[in-house]
Amino acid sequence: MTLLSFNDVDLSFSRYDGLLTAREIPILKRISFSLKCGEVVALIGASGGGKSLIAHALFGILPPNALIRGDIRFDGQRVDDGSRPSLLGRRMALVPQSISHLDPLARCFQQLRWAARRAGLRVNDAALVAMLTHFGLDARAAQAFPHQLSGGMARRMLMAIATVGNPDLIVADEPTSGLDDDNAAIVLSKLKSMADAGKGVLLITHSLATALAYADSVCLVRQGRVEGVERAEAFEGCGQGLSSDYARALWHALPQNGFRVTGDA
Amino acid sequence: MLEAQNICFRYRAKSPVLDSVDLAVHPGEIIGLTGPSGAGKSTLGRILAGHYQPASGRILVDGIFHPPGFNPVQYLHQSPVFAVDPRWTIGRIISEAWQPDETLRQAFGVSPAWFDRYPHEISGGELQRVALLRAFAPQTRYLIADEISAQLDPLTQAQIWSVLLKQAESRRLGVLVISHDMPLLRRVAQRIVTI
């Protein structure tokens, strides 16, 4: 079942050109992709290519000068300002890119409680503690302020907060940035296990090697466009199974492959 | 030669991060430095670049202590946003170090259109190219590249390394490449040191 789909979504920013005239600067062009339940889809691309903006467009957290056109659907329903309140934190949740999204002045457990309340849940503290244990976080981590957590623990805390409302779709924006390999593997396996349990996972990352180990399919974004959607297992050998040139170029640029710059980077 | 001799370092009262570490980077040599997170890789890199003072031991740059003025050991940060002044334009950030020629600017893929923008107005990959261009001032003798491509996509990574290696070779710079990415280190480094 298709859980999320972007259909020809355009995004532009309006910027003042002089005092009175505003100019529209196109950022995302005709973005289309879809994601099914039980699937991990990776959005891959260069930094500055617009990957995070795709997530921000979905969650309605773009800056006020953003103009968005096209159709975003979640579970058949159009995602817009009218439908978002019943979806956000309840049916779909974002694990933000930076751990600075945690409130520095509140203890982590309090932030988890707030998230549960925002999702409309009446859960007791014991259930929340059990949930943290599930993410490998103990009572000390719960009582800590965000700055007292290591990078890996803070990231797991963000995931716990995002998933407390038991959403059907989890969007994780660069969930492994700043983490060492062991912690990255913990976070990614967690996301993978959510997909195995029937959720949809959209994994935004710049690391092709990371994505291939965990994703079912890979959507390649470059300069605001979708350059192709590939099955993860097509990235093998000399890339003969890949349909787009960009995918092949990325594959050959990996240090473990050719480390070659082909086409225009 | 860039030398670390018997370096010890600790943060506040904690147990030492580095204990009697020796390392030497010769001009024209590219050394990989790897190890688990928390092992002190970046700390050693910053001590080599003169950003931190070791508790004991010494750093010698071509036989002398870190000279005042332009630092011949340039440190390239994993997140370049921490290595630039957020209130300066890209043009000012680069020209603080030197005036790069057109060829090098193009080789690093730095667009002149960024020069009047601020660091937050270009992407992380673009800012890393700016930081690299700035570090390649003529007086630079050694580079400490601390996970400089960990946040870049494979194509940008391969492109940046191809320019960096070519430039380092032609100028006989000594480069210490800090990374946990073994395939990358095996590609770029002549030998790999683990701490």
Side-chain angles (χ1 to χ4, degrees):
Chain A
M1 182 191 74
T2 301
L3 186 63
L4 173 73
S5 64
F6 272 61
N7 307 302
D8 285 336
V9 174
D10 289 335
L11 170 73
S12 55
F13 287 121
S14 83
R15 202 168 276 177
Y16 277 97
D17 204 8
L19 257 186
L20 297 170
T21 45
R23 194 157 52 102
E24 240 185 71
I25 300 165
I27 307 286
L28 298 178
K29 293 146 223 152
R30 302 179 72 77
I31 298 289
S32 297
F33 67 92
S34 65
L35 182 153
K36 294 189 188 67
C37 289
E39 200 180 37
V40 180
V41 174
L43 282 182
I44 291 275
S47 65
K51 304 186 299 291
S52 291
L53 288 174
I54 291 174
H56 293 184
L58 173 63
F59 285 85
I61 49 174
L62 292 164
N65 63 332
L67 304 162
I68 187 151
R69 293 186 200 89
D71 182 45
I72 305 175
R73 283 185 183 270
F74 177 85
D75 203 3
Q77 183 185 6
R78 200 181 148 93
V79 179
D80 53 27
D81 289 342
S83 62
R84 274 197 195 93
S86 61
L87 295 174
L88 300 189
R90 296 164 190 243
R91 300 210 56 204
M92 60 188 199
L94 174 70
V95 183
Q97 182 168 3
S98 166
I99 54 176
S100 65
H101 284 87
L102 288 166
D103 185 336
L105 299 178
R107 292 186 193 275
C108 292
F109 197 74
Q110 186 60 48
Q111 303 190 43
L112 183 64
R113 255 193 223 124
W114 287 335
R117 202 179 306 158
R118 277 196 301 270
L121 301 176
R122 283 165 191 269
V123 282
N124 55 26
D125 285 0
L128 293 179
V129 168
M131 161 145 204
L132 285 178
T133 314
H134 185 63
F135 280 94
L137 297 163
D138 58 13
R140 270 182 60 194
Q143 284 313 310
F145 286 98
H147 74 271
Q148 295 170 313
L149 299 179
S150 73
M153 289 165 84
R155 190 74 59 174
R156 278 178 273 147
M157 190 62 78
L158 277 172
M159 285 188 37
I161 289 172
T163 51
V164 69
N166 198 23
D168 300 310
L169 171 70
I170 298 112
V171 180
D173 193 356
E174 296 282 4
T176 58
S177 72
L179 299 188
D180 60 72
D181 288 355
D182 292 346
N183 271 304
I186 294 174
V187 166
L188 290 164
S189 319
K190 204 87 226 172
L191 288 169
K192 177 82 185 147
S193 70
M194 289 176 190
D196 292 340
K199 313 278 187 196
V201 175
L202 184 63
L203 172 65
I204 301 179
T205 175
H206 66 278
S207 165
L208 182 61
T210 302
L212 293 183
Y214 294 91
D216 299 295
S217 72
V218 174
C219 174
L220 303 150
V221 182
R222 179 167 66 158
Q223 289 165 8
R225 289 176 195 277
V226 173
E227 289 274 341
V229 179
E230 309 278 356
R231 299 301 301 171
E233 57 269 19
F235 288 87
E236 51 114 29
C238 29
Q240 62 274 29
L242 296 167
S243 58
S244 74
D245 290 342
Y246 183 53
R248 223 166 286 123
L250 282 178
W251 179 238
H252 288 304
L254 286 179
Q256 49 271 52
N257 297 337
F259 207 37
R260 280 204 304 275
V261 185
T262 46
D264 52 326
Chain B
M1 183 165 64
L2 174 63
E3 284 172 281
Q5 295 178 342
N6 202 16
I7 295 294
C8 297
F9 186 88
R10 65 178 70 209
Y11 287 97
R12 296 211 193 92
K14 294 190 176 151
S15 60
V17 180
L18 301 171
D19 193 8
S20 314
V21 173
D22 292 287
L23 186 74
V25 185
H26 292 87
E29 194 181 26
I30 298 177
I31 297 184
L33 178 65
T34 191
S37 73
K41 302 187 291 294
S42 294
T43 305
L44 181 58
R46 288 172 194 180
I47 290 172
L48 280 164
H51 294 194
Y52 293 168
Q53 286 301 319
S56 66
R58 57 180 189 169
I59 300 293
L60 295 176
V61 186
D62 295 327
I64 56 166
F65 291 110
H66 263 280
F70 188 92
N71 189 347
V73 187
Q74 286 290 310
Y75 178 83
L76 293 160
H77 204 290
Q78 170 173 5
S79 309
V81 69
F82 294 122
V84 296
D85 189 324
R87 294 177 182 234
W88 283 16
T89 59
I90 300 303
R92 188 173 170 199
I93 286 167
I94 295 171
S95 64
E96 187 199 16
W98 69 306
Q99 290 295 342
D101 55 71
E102 276 297 285
T103 335
L104 198 62
R105 183 185 62 68
Q106 280 173 10
F108 277 112
V110 170
S111 158
W114 308 341
F115 279 32
D116 57 355
R117 297 195 206 161
Y118 290 90
H120 69 271
E121 294 181 317
I122 63 177
S123 77
E126 292 167 347
L127 194 57
Q128 192 59 279
R129 293 161 195 243
V130 169
L132 272 165
L133 181 61
R134 177 178 67 170
F136 269 86
Q139 308 98 304
T140 301
R141 303 305 316 144
Y142 301 93
L143 286 175
I144 314 291
D146 191 356
E147 294 281 14
I148 56 166
S149 57
Q151 300 190 4
L152 305 179
D153 66 283
L155 267 173
T156 314
Q157 165 170 275
Q159 193 201 28
I160 277 186
W161 277 107
S162 109
V163 186
L164 194 155
L165 294 175
K166 204 184 290 167
Q167 287 295 326
E169 192 188 357
S170 71
R171 300 191 196 187
R172 289 191 45 77
L173 300 186
V175 187
L176 182 69
V177 184
I178 302 176
S179 180
H180 63 263
D181 185 348
M182 288 308 286
L184 174 71
L185 289 183
R186 280 195 281 267
R187 273 283 169 190
V188 301
Q190 291 147 4
R191 65 188 170 94
I192 299 172
V193 178
T194 308
I195 58 167

